[in-house]
């Protein structure tokens, strides 16, 4: 009670200070006070307002990402309790979506499977397809792409005349670069929604691309080999993350005992520490370690790895895989708490930055 009283008094002072001087620092101080009081909704509101004025402020982005994460965790616990007492489709759907939004793709798929096998609901089948698509977009494995494609077609059969599975099919095939399949998906969507100007324009674009593209398997192999989806531009990805991520990488690499700091996403890699050919070789090695760990964990049925740690005479490599990319730090000894916390913030900031872009 005393803590709440003190916090509320400080919050009123912070609100007054912010009205007099609406600086990024004062927005951050008010958000932190709300966070101390457990008012996550207020934290999000203050951070969003601050980011409208200071859109590139990394600290406000980090605080907002953390508040969203905590809110999702609270809601996840509520939904799990509700599903035990009164399971219904809306709760299953929301729980799956929260896991997807949090980057827990494997967990979202597990929940969707549980929903489907306990109810045989067509909506659950669509969610299974959505989760597997997200898994493919994250890991770029052709087996995931094929499985997502199969699940989508099952959902199309279970939900006739429903545009959602067809739009999901269009998303999968377009992002994979399977333009022949994308053309078929748009044609079916136009049958359900004739005369749609956006679909017709997209159909004309895809028609031209389909003339010189291979089938779905060819496209999936190309994505797996390159680590890049058809709608990704390496330079755009680099610009999307470098503004907020690079300074954090530099700070992390400058800490004592750190040999290198990395952020990798698809074919894009940001590196601080190693230089020249060494930087390229090291970044490639870090990417391969992360991809191999994800693949091994999935094949063993362990789900999505949350932390990857390699130790030896070279020191320690600690990686934090996210839903779209992964951050890593290479240290001479075991990473300190400060370095681990910096790595967590780096992963959250990069994810938040990419979500804002999308």
């Amino acid at each position: 009670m005393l803590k709440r009283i003190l916090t509320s008094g400080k919050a009123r002072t912070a609100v007054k200070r912010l009205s007099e001087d609406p600086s990024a620092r004062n927005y951050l101080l008010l958000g932190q006070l709300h966070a101390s009081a457990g008012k996550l909704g207020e934290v999000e509101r203050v951070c969003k307002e601050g980011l409208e004025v200071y859109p590139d402020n990394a600290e406000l982005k980090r605080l907002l990402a953390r508040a969203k994460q905590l809110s999702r965790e609270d809601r996840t616990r509520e939904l799990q309790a509700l599903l035990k007492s009164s399971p219904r489709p809306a709760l299953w759907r929301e729980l799956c979506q929260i896991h997807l939004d949090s980057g827990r793709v494997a967990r979202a798929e597990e929940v969707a499977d549980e929903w489907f096998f306990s109810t045989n609901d067509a909506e659950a089948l669509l969610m299974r397809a959505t989760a597997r698509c997200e898994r493919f977009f994250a890991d770029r494995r052709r087996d995931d792409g094929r499985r997502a494609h199969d699940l989508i077609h099952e959902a199309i059969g279970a939900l006739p005349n429903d545009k959602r599975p067809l739009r999901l099919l269009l998303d999968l095939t377009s992002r994979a670069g399977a333009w022949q399949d994308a053309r078929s998906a748009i044609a079916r969507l136009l049958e359900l929604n004739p005369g749609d100007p956006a679909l017709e324009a997209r159909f004309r674009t895809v028609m031209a691309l389909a003339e010189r593209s291979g089938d779905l398997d060819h496209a999936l192999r190309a994505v797996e080999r390159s680590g890049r989806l058809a709608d990704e531009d390496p330079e755009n990805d680099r610009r999307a993350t470098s503004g907020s991520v690079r300074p954090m990488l530099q700070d992390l690499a400058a800490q004592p005992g750190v040999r290198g700091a990395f952020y990798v996403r698809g074919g894009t890699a940001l590196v601080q520490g190693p230089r020249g050919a060494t930087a390229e070789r090291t970044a490639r090695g870090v990417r391969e370690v992360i991809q191999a760990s994800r693949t091994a964990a999935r094949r063993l049925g362990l789900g999505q790895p949350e932390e990857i740690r390699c130790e030896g005479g070279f020191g320690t490599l600690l990686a934090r895989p996210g839903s779209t990319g992964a951050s890593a730090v290479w240290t001479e000894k075991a990473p300190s708490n400060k370095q681990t916390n910096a790595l967590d913030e780096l992963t959250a900031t990069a994810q938040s930055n990419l979500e804002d872009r999308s």
Side-chain angles (χ1 to χ4, degrees), residues 145-163:
R146 289 196 190 101
R147 180 58 178 157
H149 185 261
D150 292 343
L151 286 170
I152 291 172
H153 278 284
E154 290 182 32
I156 291 172
L159 295 166
N161 301 322
D162 192 317
K163 300 174 187 177

Side-chain angles (χ1 to χ4, degrees), residues 17-326:
R17 187 186 301 118
L18 180 62
S19 65
E20 296 171 352
D21 177 20
S23 63
R25 175 176 173 77
N26 285 336
Y27 274 110
L28 184 63
L29 289 174
L30 179 57
Q32 289 171 338
L33 283 171
H34 285 314
S36 298
K39 299 178 179 178
L40 298 178
E42 287 298 306
V43 176
E44 292 188 32
R45 184 188 63 78
V46 170
C47 289
K48 288 177 180 177
E49 181 182 322
L51 286 169
E52 288 179 2
V53 185
Y54 305 99
D56 297 324
N57 188 276
E59 292 183 324
L60 282 172
K61 286 184 176 182
R62 286 199 294 273
L63 184 58
L64 177 59
R66 182 59 178 162
K68 287 182 176 179
Q69 179 185 351
L70 292 173
S71 296
R72 287 193 290 258
E73 290 174 358
D74 289 345
R75 183 56 179 164
T76 296
R77 287 190 288 269
E78 293 176 4
L79 289 170
Q80 289 171 339
L82 289 170
L83 282 169
K84 288 182 179 179
S85 60
S86 178
R88 47 193 187 274
L91 301 181
W92 284 113
R93 187 182 302 108
E94 184 180 356
L95 182 57
C96 289
Q97 192 60 54
I98 285 176
H99 285 309
L100 289 175
D101 293 341
S102 302
R104 297 189 290 266
V105 179
R107 181 57 184 147
E109 192 168 17
E110 290 172 5
V111 173
D113 287 345
E114 183 182 355
W115 176 15
F116 177 74
F117 291 121
S118 61
T119 65
N120 204 33
D121 192 330
E123 291 290 332
L125 183 57
L126 179 59
M127 184 57 73
R128 293 176 72 200
T130 302
R132 185 53 69 107
C133 281
E134 292 300 326
R135 176 177 281 192
F136 168 69
F137 297 149
D139 294 347
R140 322 296 165 90
R141 295 181 65 246
R142 58 178 169 173
D143 288 346
D144 290 332
R146 289 196 190 101
R147 180 58 178 157
H149 185 261
D150 292 343
L151 286 170
I152 291 172
H153 278 284
E154 290 182 32
I156 291 172
L159 295 166
N161 301 322
D162 192 317
K163 300 174 187 177
R164 293 174 298 163
L166 287 171
R167 290 193 178 278
L168 185 59
L169 178 61
L170 177 58
D171 191 32
L172 173 67
T173 53
S174 297
R175 296 189 68 184
W179 301 114
Q180 294 178 7
D181 297 81
R183 178 180 57 190
S184 299
I186 297 178
R188 295 178 69 176
L189 279 168
L190 282 170
E191 291 176 3
L192 296 177
N193 196 16
D196 185 299
L199 281 175
E200 289 182 346
R202 191 169 183 182
F203 183 75
R204 290 191 292 270
T205 301
V206 170
M207 278 287 290
L209 293 169
E211 293 178 358
R212 56 180 185 273
S213 71
D215 58 11
L216 179 67
D217 281 342
H218 179 271
L220 293 178
R221 284 196 297 270
V223 171
E224 186 176 57
R225 182 173 60 253
S226 67
R228 190 167 62 245
L229 296 168
D231 63 348
E232 289 178 340
D233 182 337
E235 286 304 312
N236 285 344
D237 285 345
R238 187 179 296 274
R239 287 192 294 268
T241 56
S242 61
S244 58
V245 170
R246 192 177 296 279
M248 298 180 69
L249 280 174
Q250 292 171 340
D251 291 342
L252 181 55
Q255 293 185 23
V258 174
R259 294 183 174 180
F262 312 86
Y263 178 78
V264 296
R265 178 177 184 261
T268 301
L270 300 178
V271 182
Q272 290 294 320
R275 298 180 179 276
T278 302
E280 183 178 347
R281 185 171 59 253
T282 307
R284 189 184 308 116
V286 170
R287 184 187 298 112
E288 290 174 355
V289 166
I290 293 168
Q291 290 177 344
S293 299
R294 280 174 164 164
T295 301
R298 186 160 299 121
R299 288 176 177 172
L300 292 171
L302 301 177
Q304 180 78 5
E306 295 183 355
E307 175 182 301
I308 300 169
R309 184 184 294 262
C310 303
E311 298 178 347
F314 60 88
T316 299
L317 176 69
L318 178 65
R320 288 278 196 268
S323 60
T324 56

